[in-house]
Amino acid sequence: MNNFIYNEFKPPFWLTNPHLQSILPKFFAPKTPTYRRIVKKDSLAESDIAYDFYDAHPVASSTSEILEQTPLIVLFHGMEGSSDSHYARALAHQMHAQGWHFVVAHFRSCGGIPASGRVFYNAGDTAEVHHTLQTLAQNYSNIYAVGVSLGGNALAKYMGEYGDKALCLGAAVISAPVDMSSAAITMHSFLSHRIYTPYLLNPIIKKALANEISAEEIASIKAVNRISDFDDIFTAPRHGYRSNNDYYYSSSALPHLRNVTRPLLLISAKDDPFIGFTATANDVSDSVTIIETAHGGHIGYLRYRSDKDKSPHLYKKSRFDINWVPETVSAYFNYIGVASIK
C-alpha cells in the first residue's frame, strides 16, 4: 500500500514549533456537529458507552433487518477525548462532506457518562474495540475506523491482532504511541511533563477518585504527578496488568503491525512531544502505509492559509485550519475504495 498520494503538510516556518502545533488546534476547530447519541453497554456489560453519530442522511431504525450501506467512519478518541475534541469535530465535518456516516465511539468514563464498573479504558483493550465494531456492525455493513493517540494505538493493535477478522474494512491512525514504553519516557521530559501532564492527568485522576476505591488507593492517586505513576497505581492493576511496565509492554501496537492484513494508514510527526518510537517500514506488513511528517506535533497539523490559497467558502473567519488530517484520511479511504453514497 505504498502508492497512496497525498498533499504534504508544510506549515510556515513560524508555525513549526511542536508545542504550538499541539496546543493551538483546539482554538481553530470547527463547530461541534449536532450529534445523534445512542447509549449501549460496554463489552463487560457493566458501563454505559456513548455513541455520537453525525449521520450523512437518516438511517433505518435499529430494528430493521436491512443493513445501512453508506459507509460508516468510527472514531476511537485519545486519552480523555470525546466527540467534542478538536480532531473529532474536524473529522466529523470532513466525513460528512464525503457523504459518509460518522460516529465517535467513546471509551468507558468518557463523553459525559461515568464508568459503572471497576475498569475504565486502556491503550491495549482490543476486546473493547472489537465489541464496539460488533455493535455498529448490527446496523452498518461498511465500517472504516480512525484512531487518535491512545485510541489509535488500541485500533492499530486491534488491526494486527485480528487480521482478516477485523470488522473494519480499513483504518487510519494518527499520533499513536505504538511503543508505549518510549512514549512514557518521552512524557517524562521537562517540557512535556510541565505542559501536558496536568492537562491529561487531572481529569482522569478526578474520575478515579470518584470511583469505588480504597483509602490506600485514594492516598496513592492523590500523590502522583506523572501519568506513568498513575498507570502503575490505577490503570495496570485495574485492567489485569502486573505493573505499568507490563501494561506498556502488553498494550503496545508496534509488535502486531507486521500481522495487519487490512489497509491501515499510520500518520505521525517526527516532532511529536508525546509518542516516542514510531513504526518503520521494516516493522509493518505490506498492508500498512506510513506517513511521517517533519512537523505537526501531537494531533496538531495546524495550517495557515494565505490570501492566495484561502478558500472564501470554507475559511471565512480564520486563515488557520486543522483539516490536513481529515483531508488525508478521507483521501486514503477513497484510495482504498470506500464508496460515497449520497
Side-chain angles (χ1 to χ4, degrees), residues 4 11 25 45 61 146 152 164 185 207 234 245 252 323:
F4 172 55
S61 67
V146 180
D164 290 337
I185 294 172
K207 289 179 182 178
F234 187 84
N245 292 325
S252 295
N323 286 343

Side-chain angles (χ1 to χ4, degrees), residues 40-49 108 119-120 128 131:
K40 300 279 189 179
K41 285 295 184 183
D42 68 350
S43 59
L44 302 176
E46 292 180 347
S47 292
D48 287 336
I49 299 297
R108 298 181 189 93
V119 301
F120 280 31
E128 185 68 15
H131 171 78

